[in-house]
Amino acid sequence: MILPETASFSPTPTFAKEPIYFKPTILWKVDAVRIMNPIRTERKGMRPLKMNGENDLAYYTYLRNVCYQVRAHFEWNENHPELACDRNENKHHNIAKRMVARGGRRDIFLGTRECQGYVKPCVFGEGEGYYDNSGEMPYSLMYHGITYADEAELPEDKGKMTVRFWKPVIQDGVIQFLPPAECTIKRHIKKMSVKKFGKEQGNFSGLEEFTGGETDELDE
């Protein structure tokens, strides 16, 4: 469950996966988001930095008092065969649960840094949502997310950075997200190579990162 005070955009499949728990071994797939609070906005006066280093005055519109329930799962990232030895479902599942209980590994924010978010475990569908039994609310074209080269599943997306779009529908307060590979409205932004991971590259430690007493918690 994400509990931020404000947000600069509606939820997308990638808005919290990396700050909570990310490993190149796995691909997070957000299945659904349940909107718990009414959709409301507010305007705030901000002073963003200009290109020359000076401050400017601008008014931004934010979503106000948002609350979401999120249902997701992970799959193995087949673009990293060098990490096949790290494909331990119990390990990643238990670490992910622990990270959710602790509020994530890093700060979570929606869209911009001032939109701080908070995470805690929840049961998807539990509790009363503002849009329960509200019927269907279709939306026009919206941003779905970015597929990086090491997340690409389709042949035409291999070796590229791809931005995805779709037309979401809110049904009784729940957004059922399309899997990234099923988004047909997309654009290739640039060519991109797949980064290699492993001990020989000095950028992957596996269970060694838990040296100090935390590995015994993985089976809880």
Side-chain angles (χ1 to χ4, degrees):
M1 181 182 291
I2 311 301
L3 300 169
E5 293 298 324
T6 57
S8 63
F9 68 111
S10 60
T12 67
T14 57
F15 69 100
K17 67 177 186 180
E18 293 187 11
I20 295 176
Y21 177 62
F22 167 78
K23 277 291 186 293
T25 311
I26 63 177
L27 285 175
W28 279 108
K29 301 289 183 69
V30 175
D31 303 307
V33 169
R34 185 178 179 219
I35 303 171
M36 303 299 292
N37 291 346
I39 300 173
R40 294 173 179 168
T41 60
E42 64 181 6
R43 296 187 71 197
K44 290 186 176 183
M46 309 296 293
R47 298 192 66 88
L49 287 174
K50 299 171 67 175
M51 292 294 292
N52 60 7
E54 298 178 356
N55 288 103
D56 200 358
L57 178 62
Y59 286 94
Y60 293 163
T61 300
Y62 296 88
L63 292 173
R64 177 177 176 270
N65 190 31
V66 302
C67 178
Y68 307 121
Q69 290 181 350
V70 181
R71 184 174 65 217
H73 71 280
F74 65 79
E75 301 173 2
W76 302 132
N77 190 342
E78 300 295 341
N79 292 303
H80 287 294
E82 74 277 12
L83 299 180
C85 59
D86 191 48
R87 294 175 184 172
N88 183 314
E89 180 180 350
N90 290 330
K91 165 194 165 181
H92 292 290
H93 181 238
N94 283 292
I95 294 176
K97 289 196 300 183
R98 289 167 51 216
M99 292 305 104
V100 170
R102 295 181 181 185
R105 279 190 161 185
R106 295 181 298 170
D107 290 347
I108 295 169
F109 53 95
L110 299 184
T112 55
R113 191 63 181 85
E114 65 268 20
C115 297
Q116 183 73 41
Y118 303 93
V119 173
K120 67 179 182 181
C122 73
V123 177
F124 192 89
E126 189 174 73
E128 183 178 353
Y130 185 82
Y131 295 99
D132 293 351
N133 305 312
S134 62
E136 183 179 285
M137 291 188 291
Y139 280 73
S140 58
L141 191 68
M142 295 185 68
Y143 171 81
H144 187 279
I146 291 178
T147 299
Y148 296 97
D150 66 345
E151 299 174 329
E153 300 177 70
L154 300 177
E156 64 266 26
D157 298 333
K158 299 288 185 178
K160 302 180 180 70
M161 175 190 286
T162 306
V163 61
R164 310 183 306 269
F165 300 91
W166 71 317
K167 296 181 180 180
V169 175
I170 302 177
Q171 181 67 48
D172 296 327
V174 177
I175 305 173
Q176 299 285 349
F177 280 96
L178 279 178
E182 294 184 18
C183 289
T184 58
I185 308 173
K186 58 188 178 181
R187 181 179 180 184
H188 295 134
I189 302 300
K190 64 177 181 179
K191 293 182 178 180
M192 176 181 284
S193 59
V194 177
K195 182 178 180 179
K196 296 295 182 182
F197 290 90
K199 291 184 179 180
E200 57 276 10
Q201 278 83 24
N203 57 10
F204 191 84
S205 57
L207 286 176
E208 291 178 4
E209 66 179 306
F210 295 99
T211 300
E214 291 192 341
T215 53
D216 58 347
E217 301 177 15
L218 295 179
D219 294 328
E220 293 183 357

